[in-house]
Amino acid sequence: MKWHLHLYLSPTAPRDRMCLFALPALFTPLDKILATLGEGTFGKVVKVKDLHADHVMALKIIKNVEKYREAAKLEINALEKIAEKDPECRHLCVKMLDWFDYHGHMCIAFEMLGLSVFDFLKDNNYQPYPLETVRHVAYQLCYSVKFLHDNKLTHTDLKPENILFVDSDFEITYNSKKKRDIRRVKRTDVRLIDFGSATFDHEHHSTIVSTRHYRAPEVILELGWSQPCDVWSIGCIIFELYLGITLFQTHDNREHLAMMERILGPIPYRMARKTKTKYFYHGKLDWDEKSSAGRYVRENCKPLHRYQNSDDEDHRQLFDLIARMLEYEPSSRLTLGEALRHPFFDKIPPHQRLGDFRGAGNEGRERSHSLSR
């Protein structure tokens, strides 16, 4: 189905200000803006109701600024290629309904989804998700991003804000230990969003990608990156869903690397020697452990396995999966095909299994053709 949305911008409004009225070509009321779903540097996302079809969708309206317009065009290109290969959205990427350019504002209409896994966590006072929710969300995320990787695409901006529940309705239970109500999402199906930074193998690779907390070491060290940088991000995301806290809470490259060493052990000598960045001296991280930043890292970070909440086998398997996703060397890092065969996902019930991973873990028998063709 094609959606034809036409925004009306007030003639008195500056070109980069978006006035939220929606009219069809003949200027009879058809589309009504119900709410603002989110705002960012790029523009905003609004909830729109098509009064004719009685259908609600999310409309992403991009500021009339060249770099954001170009990013929107790249996102549209990626989404169109994804839709060609997966018209039924079986690989859990958000469905684009239509797009158009209105006086320099790129506008993209999407299916309406629920809250992001981050917003749900925040609204729930950062109470971690139950293990079975972590398992199902992680499984879907690996499956969806594997589809991108099989088709020569790297998402490059995986984070909890870019994973949305299809429906974020919840039930409330009282937690006597915490002495507070806890929200539990009723349905754990998710969709992957925000392909504005997605990069095909043959395209120019920016030096720095990913949101800071989910950025892989090879990106920080400017050693070049490809699909394994997404796997690192997924490891960080799974940890956050399980504990309700960010694994690497920092805004500085050197401190970020120090946190990695505290949690995961020393950065490999090969990577330290190869980087042109100035964070190492004779192959060792140049970091003063006695400084205030050094004390902060020591007091707030600990070896990965010590974050495990239980010695149960399920929790042990989860941390084994995370550790394999957080291998420093990209070539040694788990692939997502291997991740989907990890024992942690053996307990995914049959009705939640997807595609070639419905049976007992065999890697995708049919690889998709490249999206970039």
Side-chain angles (χ1 to χ4, degrees):
M1 180 181 289
K2 272 299 243 188
W3 299 94
H4 297 285
L5 301 166
H6 301 265
L7 292 185
Y8 169 71
L9 281 94
S10 159
T12 59
R15 276 282 193 227
D16 66 340
R17 291 283 301 279
M18 286 154 279
C19 298
L20 303 179
F21 299 94
L23 300 173
L26 297 176
F27 303 101
T28 54
L30 178 65
D31 307 303
K32 181 181 179 185
I33 288 176
L34 304 176
T36 298
L37 298 172
E39 293 192 55
T41 51
F42 67 88
K44 61 173 66 184
V45 181
V46 295
K47 184 177 181 180
V48 177
K49 183 165 188 178
D50 180 333
L51 301 175
H52 178 70
D54 195 28
H55 184 91
V56 173
M57 69 201 97
L59 184 67
K60 185 174 181 177
I61 310 169
I62 310 298
K63 281 181 187 170
N64 187 2
V65 174
E66 187 59 25
K67 67 176 177 178
Y68 300 136
R69 284 172 51 76
E70 290 309 309
K73 287 175 186 175
L74 292 172
E75 178 166 24
I76 290 162
N77 177 57
L79 287 163
E80 285 182 336
K81 297 268 174 56
I82 288 165
E84 281 171 26
K85 293 294 171 186
D86 185 21
E88 303 298 316
C89 295
R90 289 188 176 140
H91 291 90
L92 315 183
C93 298
V94 67
K95 187 181 183 68
M96 178 173 69
L97 304 174
D98 197 8
W99 68 270
F100 57 94
D101 180 342
Y102 189 84
H103 292 277
H105 297 282
M106 300 300 294
C107 301
I108 313 174
F110 293 101
E111 62 179 323
M112 190 68 201
L113 298 167
L115 289 176
S116 72
V117 299
F118 173 77
D119 283 332
F120 191 93
L121 186 71
K122 183 178 70 171
D123 291 351
N124 203 21
N125 295 305
Y126 296 96
Q127 290 303 308
Y129 287 98
L131 187 69
E132 292 314 311
T133 301
V134 175
R135 196 193 312 269
H136 189 214
V137 171
Y139 173 78
Q140 293 172 89
L141 184 56
C142 291
Y143 181 80
S144 184
V145 180
K146 179 186 181 293
F147 165 72
L148 303 181
H149 290 183
D150 286 349
N151 287 287
K152 303 187 186 303
L153 193 59
T154 307
H155 186 284
T156 81
D157 197 19
L158 296 172
K159 54 185 175 180
E161 290 91 332
N162 287 339
I163 306 158
L164 268 53
F165 287 115
V166 171
D167 180 349
S168 48
D169 264 4
F170 57 86
E171 54 197 11
I172 295 177
T173 55
Y174 183 72
N175 185 316
S176 51
K177 234 185 225 175
K178 304 268 184 190
K179 296 188 175 163
R180 62 160 60 138
D181 287 337
I182 302 291
R183 296 179 180 187
R184 182 171 287 212
V185 70
K186 290 178 184 175
R187 184 180 165 199
T188 53
D189 301 62
V190 295
R191 295 289 180 270
L192 186 59
I193 69 159
D194 198 347
F195 293 83
S197 306
T199 305
F200 286 105
D201 288 1
H202 70 275
E203 292 178 323
H204 169 72
H205 283 39
S206 306
T207 305
I208 301 297
V209 291
S210 306
T211 298
R212 156 70 67 194
H213 308 100
Y214 311 95
R215 189 175 292 157
E218 66 270 23
V219 178
I220 297 171
L221 298 176
E222 298 179 14
L223 297 173
W225 55 266
S226 60
Q227 280 82 5
C229 79
D230 279 347
V231 179
W232 178 280
S233 302
I234 292 172
C236 296
I237 291 165
I238 296 171
F239 177 95
E240 195 166 327
L241 300 179
Y242 173 81
L243 278 162
I245 57 173
T246 312
L247 179 55
F248 299 110
Q249 186 60 55
T250 180
H251 298 284
D252 175 80
N253 279 343
R254 198 182 298 270
E255 184 175 74
H256 197 165
L257 294 168
M259 286 181 164
M260 287 180 186
E261 291 209 327
R262 175 85 172 140
I263 294 167
L264 303 167
I267 289 162
Y269 184 74
R270 185 202 73 84
M271 294 178 79
R273 292 294 286 178
K274 198 175 173 191
T275 182
K276 299 277 199 301
T277 61
K278 308 295 183 191
Y279 306 125
F280 293 85
Y281 183 72
H282 292 317
K284 286 197 164 182
L285 184 64
D286 187 10
W287 177 251
D288 182 3
E289 291 190 357
K290 294 189 172 75
S291 66
S292 60
R295 283 196 302 278
Y296 172 81
V297 169
R298 198 166 59 252
E299 289 166 11
N300 289 277
C301 301
K302 56 190 177 184
L304 183 66
H305 66 90
R306 286 177 51 195
Y307 286 98
Q308 216 174 289
N309 282 333
S310 162
D311 290 330
D312 287 357
E313 184 64 7
D314 279 348
H315 295 254
R316 192 197 62 74
Q317 285 176 351
L318 170 62
F319 272 77
D320 181 74
L321 174 63
I322 292 170
R324 289 166 188 260
M325 289 180 161
L326 298 180
E327 283 281 349
Y328 285 119
E329 287 281 5
S331 58
S332 305
R333 213 168 286 155
L334 207 62
T335 67
L336 294 178
E338 290 165 343
L340 286 161
R341 295 195 303 277
H342 191 279
F344 179 64
F345 293 129
D346 287 352
K347 285 190 178 175
I348 291 284
H351 72 276
Q352 289 181 345
R353 292 197 168 268
L354 298 162
D356 291 322
F357 295 90
R358 287 181 190 280
N362 55 339
E363 185 157 10
R365 291 181 293 278
E366 284 183 42
R367 284 175 66 87
S368 311
H369 295 298
S370 168
L371 289 170
S372 55
R373 284 181 191 161

